[in-house]
Amino acid sequence: MNLLRLSWRMLLREWRAGELHALTFALLIAVGGVTAVGFFTDRVNQALTTEASQLLAADLVLAADHEVSGVFLSEARRRGMTPVRILTFPSMVLSATGSQLAEIKAVAPGYPLRGELRIQSPQGERNAEGIPEPGTVWLDQRLLAQLQIAPGDSLELGAARFRVGAVLSFEPDRGGDMFSIAPRLMMNAQDLPATALIQPGSRVSYRTLLAGTPREIAAFRAWAAPRLSRGEKLEGVSDGRPEIRSALERGGKFLNLAALTSLILAAVAIVLSARRFLERHLDGCAVMRCTGASQSQVFRLYLYQFLCLGVLASLAGCLLGYGAQWVLARQLGGLIAASLPAPSWLPLAYGLLTGLATLLGFALPFLQRLKRVPPLWVLRRELGRPQRLNLAGFAAGVAALLAMLLWQAGEIRLGLYVLAGLAAVVVGALLLTHALIWLLAPLRRGVGVTWRYGLASLVRRRHASASQVVALGLGLTALLLLTLVRGDLLHSWQSTLPLHAPNRFVINIQPDQVQPLQSFLASRGMASAALFPMVRGRLLAINGRAVSAADYEEDRTRRLVEREFNLSWAEQLQGDNQIVAGRWWGKNHAATAQWSVEEGIARNLGIRLGDKLTYQVAGQSFSATVTSLRKVDWDSFHVNFFVIATPALLQGYPASYITAFYLPAGDEALLDGMVKAFPNLTVIDVAALMNQVRAMMERIVSTVEFVFLFTLAAGLMALYAAIAATREERMVEAAVMRTLGASGRQLLLSQLAEFILIGLLAGIVSALAATGLGYALATRVFHLPYQLNPWLWVAALAAGVLGVTLAGWLGTRGVLHQPPLQTLGQLG
Amino acid sequence: MQASRLSRQVPAGDGVLTILHGLELEIASGDSVAILGASGSGKSTLLGLLAGLDLPTSGEVHINGVNLFALDEDGRAALRGRLIGFVFQSFQLLPALTALENVMLPLELAGAASAREMALTVLHRVGLGERLHHYPKHLSGGEQQRVAIARAFATQPKLLLADEPTGNLDSATGARIIDLLFELNREQGTTLVLVTHDAELAARCGRRLRLVDGHLVESS
Ligand SMILES: Nc1ncnc2c1ncn2[C@@H]1O[C@H](COP(=O)(O)OP(=O)(O)O)[C@@H](O)[C@H]1O
Ligand SMILES: [Mg+2]
């Protein structure tokens, strides 16, 4: 207890003396950065999830092909949620001038729970407040055109008559099952009985929408999942459209990457500061040992100081982080979401834990070394150096950091990549620095006095130099990754959804319409649109063994097994597909019977190259071998198929065709012409959906850019700590050189010589590391093509040399204008 | 060398501490002077001012007719390079450089053409011809101080200032260092100003001055 009080008093004394400012500052910034990132990404992630919820119009949907049991509804109400039910079914709609098959959606008040309905009124497009009044219906533009009616006209639906209340221009959950969507009619569920359309055996899809906090949703999900019966399923946010899901996942990864990097930089800053603390306290420790303190007393004395400091600095850092994220949210709030959800308290715990674990993990080895200082140190420094630092002592710190990384990454692979990258940079920097020093050392006889002195200092401070190169190398690597590589990654991500990606899909094309439609499109300058055949088929068996939904875990996979899905045939491999196993058959083997399967679905269904798949099409079943696995870019919005057959295998079965093309805004007249010429075609407009995806990408990019600022601050801290570590030594030496008659220019040059060498080394290390890590991240984590960027090298070397030189110059500039004895007096 | 009305005050707590108080001093070329005084009386402060390593609160120091404090920091450094050698109590060798390089440094900084040869000569003179390529941390205290003295004499200064040069050494080693200083003083005709506690050493100097209350008094 006495020791604790003494520690506290010493801490206060050292605080006043300014001994601990640098260390505390580093820790505070680090924890502040990490928690700000934590708080903010927490809120952003919540907001992004909310955004994705809009595509469901809810947070969770209970979908069924029958009316679900009331138990689900009452349980949801009991948990404080307000379920909203919607029904969709196909039906003919009649007007005075025509009739058309439409997808009817009957909604109850409250719909949509997430996102907005938008309607077109003579004044323009606006958010709909509420749902169609009883007795009125809203139609999309396509259905209005097909029925040749306008708002205010009336139409017949089943046994009832309705007035057209408005033009429906956007519904958040339209994206559901893209290829089955006919034109839309939205009605009030109250009017359903009057239509008498819902009869036993009608094809109706029942959806119960739920919204709530993530915790409520998760709890309800856990409760409901085991109670589902056949034909019922839960759709969560991440079960939505795959495009949205992959956008969300990538966005999350980018944010985590930024947070991870600031954590590593924090550790670097702490190591460097703690090392300096050790150097400065050797004397005091030796004196204490001389006056009778035991090793363990000395150790605990410093341990308690560090514990107190760690708790206080981490708390202050958390406050800083909390404050910073409010500023952040205020600046970016409107950009990310109308209003960001309140942050959870988890990041606070994370900040505290991070601060303490990082400080102790990386400072303990130094404290241990401190306690081993022999009392003789007081008298004869050249004899009494405590033994070299034990690198194994950092194992705990590295383990703590690894745990933090994994927690933050939420994914082992990303965490491991970052850690492996870190280890590679450290080892690489050490090897490279020592190798270069070894190579440079002999040069020292052949150069002028300033370079000789710079070189000599670099060589003598070999270990300090190496740790500076490591720190700067890591900092620069992070900055490079986050500026150039991040730019490259984001660019290639955004370019996966090119500006002119197809935004209209046309389905239901009959075989005899293929030629006429192609010439119709060609005559209007759309020659490039390719038509693909589609055959509905159901997977019966793999290698003769019948497949059953019960064999699979994942909802999506089960659905694939339960239902028919679209197969296609082709002679040539589509341009954006890539064979990852086996061989594509090509023109010459088009007459054989083979399958090619998309690798993702193959993995889910357990299909391997060489397996025999049995399909049932139009009542007939047949088998063929899987001769290739394909990689498909689902983000591209191109027409793609999970399973493709050789033409010979499928050509004989009833097929319809599908095509997709980019229709520039304002060219909608072309569609009217097409629908007139080919009335049976169904056009699906995905432009709105694509705009949603694009908007989301842009928001993610800007949040990542903001989070990057914190990483930058952490990087600057590491840089500061690295320079500060040898600053005093440099100043003493500069003062001595001053005494010997060195001019300001000579002092500056000899310092610069050393800084330039360190900066150059750090630049080389970081360019290598950023290239390697960027490649690994692109190909392994983000699954994007990676292009070597020569600017990375230019930037790395320039940033290394300029950054270090500037920082070093700022740090030692004072010496130039101060009488040498004052420098020596202040320091010694 | 001449110092007039030299004062040095430093802020201390709430007031100011006057270390030197309008001090007057004149030293003829080739003389050897010992400065004595209690610990904390301001000996190091005075020596630092005489070398232009620090700035006085008021007063002037003229060396060879040049007013030290009319020059800027670079000007003073250049003047030191040409005229003044300084030996610290704690040696202050640059740890990155070998013994030879430490001695070459002031010569090179001044742009001397044959720095290496000159440094070699002085190092042999102080008896360290065998330790040319050793780093300071591999040298004993006495050897380090001999390197420091070689470094101070390498530029053949007109004035050598030594602040308790034997303070960190045992008496036998200290005696050898002192012998060396006086030999070089004789050989090169250098003016020598020594701060010391050692009465025996002081006795070997031409003049002995005692620093009391910020003034110098001649003592016998
Ligand atoms: N820059 C300074 N700031 C505050 N006090 C100083 C400064 N320089 C010297 N002193 C004080 O002035 C007194 C004289 O110091 P010093 O010249 O080193 O004495 P000596 O060398 O005779 O032992 C001491 O009490 C010292 O603490
Ligand atoms: Mg003194």
Side-chain angles (χ1 to χ4, degrees):
Chain A
M1 268 308 101
N2 244 337
L3 206 58
L4 199 60
R5 267 218 308 281
L6 181 60
S7 290
W8 177 247
R9 277 207 307 278
M10 278 178 67
L11 185 62
L12 288 181
R13 234 177 278 148
E14 270 168 12
W15 179 258
R16 272 196 298 271
E19 290 279 277
L20 292 172
H21 290 185
L23 182 95
T24 312
F25 193 46
L27 190 64
L28 197 140
I29 281 225
V31 173
V34 166
T35 41
V37 169
F39 277 128
F40 188 65
T41 53
D42 182 51
R43 296 178 74 185
V44 166
N45 276 331
Q46 285 185 51
L48 291 178
T49 311
T50 310
E51 182 135 320
S53 308
Q54 294 178 10
L55 299 168
L56 279 182
D59 293 329
L60 187 67
V61 174
L62 173 57
D65 55 8
H66 52 262
E67 188 94 57
V68 295
S69 149
V71 181
F72 289 105
L73 300 180
S74 51
E75 178 66 17
R77 287 197 190 94
R78 199 185 66 72
R79 289 166 181 267
M81 295 185 282
T82 314
V84 168
R85 293 165 61 210
I86 59 179
L87 283 72
T88 50
F89 55 92
S91 174
M92 290 306 284
V93 182
L94 290 125
S95 72
T97 44
S99 68
Q100 176 67 40
L101 182 72
E103 188 80 5
I104 315 297
K105 186 169 187 170
V107 299
Y111 169 87
L113 290 174
R114 295 281 185 249
E116 296 287 348
L117 273 179
R118 291 180 70 77
I119 53 176
Q120 194 85 45
S121 62
Q123 292 81 34
E125 204 186 10
R126 61 178 172 89
N127 284 350
E129 266 112 46
I131 58 168
E133 295 283 316
T136 68
V137 290
W138 296 346
L139 274 62
D140 66 10
Q141 194 71 57
R142 187 147 55 100
L143 188 55
L144 280 177
Q146 282 160 344
L147 293 172
Q148 293 177 312
I149 53 175
D153 294 346
S154 65
L155 54 74
E156 264 176 67
L157 178 65
R161 280 194 82 78
F162 293 91
R163 195 173 55 79
V164 178
V167 184
L168 182 63
S169 56
F170 179 74
E171 48 187 310
D173 51 345
R174 180 77 196 242
D177 192 2
M178 197 157 65
F179 296 108
S180 66
I181 289 180
R184 168 71 82 219
L185 180 148
M186 184 174 287
M187 64 184 290
N188 195 308
Q190 221 177 298
D191 293 331
L192 264 182
T195 62
L197 283 172
I198 310 293
Q199 305 291 343
S202 316
R203 251 184 63 204
V204 185
S205 134
Y206 295 82
R207 294 169 73 79
T208 306
L209 311 188
L210 292 164
T213 63
R215 185 187 295 227
E216 284 169 353
I217 293 300
F220 182 81
R221 207 180 175 140
W223 174 86
R227 291 175 172 78
L228 296 179
S229 46
R230 200 211 60 78
E232 296 172 351
K233 66 176 196 279
L234 289 166
E235 289 173 8
V237 170
S238 57
D239 302 336
R241 293 199 47 85
E243 293 90 348
I244 301 302
R245 187 171 47 189
S246 74
L248 256 184
E249 277 174 4
R250 279 191 189 149
K253 280 179 188 172
F254 277 123
L255 289 177
N256 280 332
L257 184 67
L260 287 182
T261 324
S262 72
L263 193 59
I264 291 168
L265 291 171
V268 171
I270 284 170
V271 166
L272 291 166
S273 302
R275 204 181 118 107
R276 184 147 162 261
F277 183 87
L278 163 83
E279 295 294 337
R280 298 183 63 128
H281 282 74
L282 282 174
D283 286 355
C285 258
V287 170
M288 278 191 280
R289 299 273 287 120
C290 281
T291 56
S294 71
Q295 283 205 351
S296 123
Q297 276 174 321
V298 169
F299 178 66
R300 274 181 302 159
L301 200 63
Y302 284 103
L303 179 68
Y304 295 156
Q305 286 185 47
F306 270 72
L307 271 175
C308 290
L309 190 74
V311 170
L312 289 177
S314 303
L315 275 175
C318 286
L319 279 179
L320 175 79
Y322 192 72
Q325 65 84 31
W326 277 111
V327 177
L328 256 173
R330 173 163 298 190
Q331 277 182 347
L332 285 172
L335 187 68
I336 292 158
S339 67
L340 280 177
S344 71
W345 289 105
L346 196 67
L348 192 71
Y350 180 58
L352 264 178
L353 245 148
T354 308
L356 274 179
T358 317
L359 178 64
L360 292 184
F362 288 93
L364 274 184
F366 293 104
L367 295 188
Q368 242 143 20
R369 194 175 160 213
L370 200 52
K371 83 174 183 193
R372 283 196 301 262
V373 62
L376 196 62
W377 168 264
V378 178
L379 301 177
R380 296 187 59 91
R381 281 152 202 246
E382 68 274 19
L383 291 184
R385 272 248 159 219
Q387 59 218 77
R388 293 268 321 274
L389 202 57
N390 185 3
L391 277 181
F394 287 111
V398 172
L401 192 62
L402 179 63
M404 296 285 162
L405 287 180
L406 295 183
W407 182 8
Q408 187 79 333
E411 190 193 332
I412 304 227
R413 208 153 52 121
L414 185 58
L416 284 180
Y417 272 121
V418 174
L419 203 83
L422 173 79
V425 174
V426 171
V427 173
L430 288 175
L431 287 179
L432 208 77
T433 311
H434 285 289
L436 266 126
I437 285 174
W438 182 76
L439 281 174
L440 287 173
L443 284 182
R444 149 178 181 184
R445 309 219 186 292
V447 293
V449 61
T450 52
W451 277 94
R452 155 146 4 133
Y453 182 68
L455 255 171
S457 300
L458 186 78
V459 174
R460 187 187 76 81
R461 289 195 264 267
R462 187 173 307 156
H463 296 288
S465 303
S467 72
Q468 278 170 334
V469 171
V470 169
L472 300 174
L474 277 178
L476 278 177
T477 305
L479 300 187
L480 287 172
L481 271 180
L482 284 165
T483 47
L484 287 174
V485 177
R486 173 202 58 118
D488 290 350
L489 286 181
L490 288 181
H491 181 74
S492 53
W493 178 33
Q494 281 181 321
S495 65
T496 57
L497 183 52
L499 215 51
H500 290 192
N503 58 3
R504 296 295 193 286
F505 287 78
V506 182
I507 56 172
N508 260 341
I509 307 163
Q510 298 309 305
D512 58 357
Q513 291 176 315
V514 168
Q515 279 306 325
L517 182 66
Q518 262 169 343
S519 34
F520 173 88
L521 288 174
S523 72
R524 280 154 183 83
M526 304 220 142
S528 58
L531 275 71
F532 302 91
M534 269 194 324
V535 176
R536 313 250 332 148
R538 196 176 152 180
L539 180 64
L540 290 183
I542 301 173
N543 289 334
R545 212 173 65 82
V547 295
S548 125
D551 297 343
Y552 298 101
E553 289 275 311
E554 233 197 310
D555 277 355
R556 259 156 48 99
T557 319
R558 289 178 177 213
R559 260 177 277 151
L560 282 172
V561 172
E562 279 170 348
R563 291 197 204 153
E564 290 194 325
F565 63 88
N566 291 317
L567 309 171
S568 186
W569 74 78
E571 252 177 28
Q572 308 239 317
L573 184 64
Q574 243 173 284
D576 58 350
N577 283 206
Q578 202 187 325
I579 298 294
V580 292
R583 290 183 56 155
W584 181 257
W585 41 79
K587 228 180 178 88
N588 297 339
H589 298 86
T592 57
Q594 301 179 39
W595 298 114
S596 171
V597 184
E598 190 263 340
E599 58 166 357
I601 197 184
R603 204 179 319 119
N604 288 347
L605 289 171
I607 297 171
R608 274 161 315 193
L609 199 66
D611 281 358
K612 212 166 116 188
L613 304 188
T614 309
Y615 266 91
Q616 185 180 51
V617 175
Q620 294 183 39
S621 57
F622 51 88
S623 304
T625 308
V626 178
T627 56
S628 65
L629 296 180
R630 274 170 307 127
K631 191 175 152 128
V632 171
D633 181 9
W634 293 108
D635 297 339
S636 71
F637 276 81
H638 286 125
V639 176
N640 266 301
F641 298 92
F642 284 130
V643 178
I644 300 179
T646 46
L649 196 58
L650 286 181
Q651 238 161 5
Y653 295 96
S656 69
Y657 283 74
I658 174 173
T659 186
F661 52 82
Y662 172 73
L663 187 74
D667 282 9
E668 284 79 7
L670 181 141
L671 288 184
D672 294 343
M674 189 170 81
V675 171
K676 278 213 181 76
F678 309 94
N680 64 310
L681 297 194
T682 304
V683 180
I684 298 164
D685 181 354
V686 294
L689 180 72
M690 282 172 55
N691 285 340
Q692 258 178 311
V693 174
R694 271 208 190 93
M696 190 131 97
M697 282 181 175
E698 267 156 31
R699 280 168 193 189
I700 291 169
V701 169
S702 61
T703 52
V704 169
E705 269 163 6
F706 190 84
V707 169
F708 155 67
L709 288 182
F710 282 85
T711 317
L712 188 71
L716 289 178
M717 257 335 280
L719 186 75
Y720 169 78
I723 299 290
T726 53
R727 178 165 175 267
E728 288 171 5
E729 203 176 311
R730 282 174 207 285
M731 287 176 73
V732 169
E733 292 174 15
V736 171
M737 284 177 71
R738 257 309 198 205
T739 309
L740 300 177
S743 70
R745 218 179 82 86
Q746 285 171 321
L747 279 187
L748 197 61
L749 285 180
S750 63
Q751 300 271 314
L752 285 189
E754 186 183 348
F755 284 139
I756 286 172
L757 289 172
I758 288 177
L760 220 53
L761 285 174
I764 294 174
V765 166
S766 61
L768 282 171
T771 308
L773 285 176
Y775 176 79
L777 286 173
T779 55
R780 299 290 158 85
V781 179
F782 297 114
H783 302 292
L784 293 169
Y786 183 72
Q787 272 172 351
L788 214 66
N789 185 343
W791 284 107
L792 189 138
W793 281 85
V794 178
L797 294 180
V801 171
L802 284 180
V804 180
T805 306
L806 191 70
W809 177 70
L810 285 175
T812 40
R813 176 179 57 134
V815 177
L816 302 180
H817 306 287
Q818 193 175 358
L821 213 56
Q822 284 178 18
T823 308
L824 289 174
Q826 277 163 14
L827 301 171
Chain B
M1 191 217 52
Q2 184 194 25
S4 52
R5 294 187 308 281
L6 204 56
S7 289
R8 177 75 166 114
Q9 295 175 326
V10 291
D14 29 329
V16 289
L17 172 70
T18 305
I19 308 172
L20 302 178
H21 204 83
L23 178 143
E24 305 280 341
L25 172 66
E26 202 172 335
I27 298 173
S29 176
D31 227 352
S32 63
V33 179
I35 294 177
L36 300 147
S39 173
S41 55
K43 306 181 296 291
S44 298
T45 308
L46 174 61
L47 218 59
L49 287 173
L50 296 182
L53 295 176
D54 200 358
L55 295 178
T57 310
S58 65
E60 292 175 358
V61 170
H62 290 265
I63 290 177
N64 262 12
V66 182
N67 181 359
L68 265 189
F69 304 117
L71 304 171
D72 63 1
E73 208 49 67
D74 262 0
R76 281 194 291 278
L79 184 113
R80 274 196 299 274
R82 275 185 289 119
L83 298 176
I84 306 174
F86 203 101
V87 177
F88 297 91
Q89 179 178 353
S90 51
F91 325 139
Q92 299 286 13
L93 297 180
L94 293 177
L97 304 181
T98 60
L100 177 61
E101 287 169 336
N102 259 292
V103 178
M104 281 167 67
L105 187 61
L107 294 164
E108 288 178 310
L109 288 171
S114 49
R116 194 180 165 82
E117 289 64 40
M118 290 162 78
L120 281 171
T121 315
V122 200
L123 273 167
H124 281 289
R125 176 65 193 81
V126 301
L128 286 176
E130 311 293 307
R131 316 295 303 265
L132 298 176
H133 302 297
H134 287 73
Y135 285 92
K137 66 175 174 188
H138 295 133
L139 298 173
S140 73
E143 287 166 334
Q144 287 190 45
Q145 194 61 304
R146 276 192 276 164
V147 175
I149 288 171
R151 184 176 68 178
F153 276 105
T155 52
Q156 306 193 326
K158 292 273 173 293
L159 172 64
L160 188 105
L161 303 161
D163 187 359
E164 300 190 41
T166 59
N168 278 352
L169 302 172
D170 60 76
S171 55
T173 314
R176 276 205 297 281
I177 292 292
I178 295 302
D179 288 342
L180 185 61
L181 274 175
F182 280 106
E183 281 164 29
L184 287 167
N185 162 246
R186 269 196 307 277
E187 285 167 18
Q188 299 194 0
T190 312
T191 311
L192 194 60
V193 180
L194 281 178
V195 165
T196 182
H197 285 299
D198 185 346
E200 228 174 290
L201 166 54
R204 297 173 62 176
C205 291
R207 279 168 78 193
R208 279 160 299 284
L209 302 171
R210 185 166 292 276
L211 190 55
V212 186
D213 296 334
H215 297 281
L216 277 174
V217 284
E218 207 84 32
S219 75
S220 53

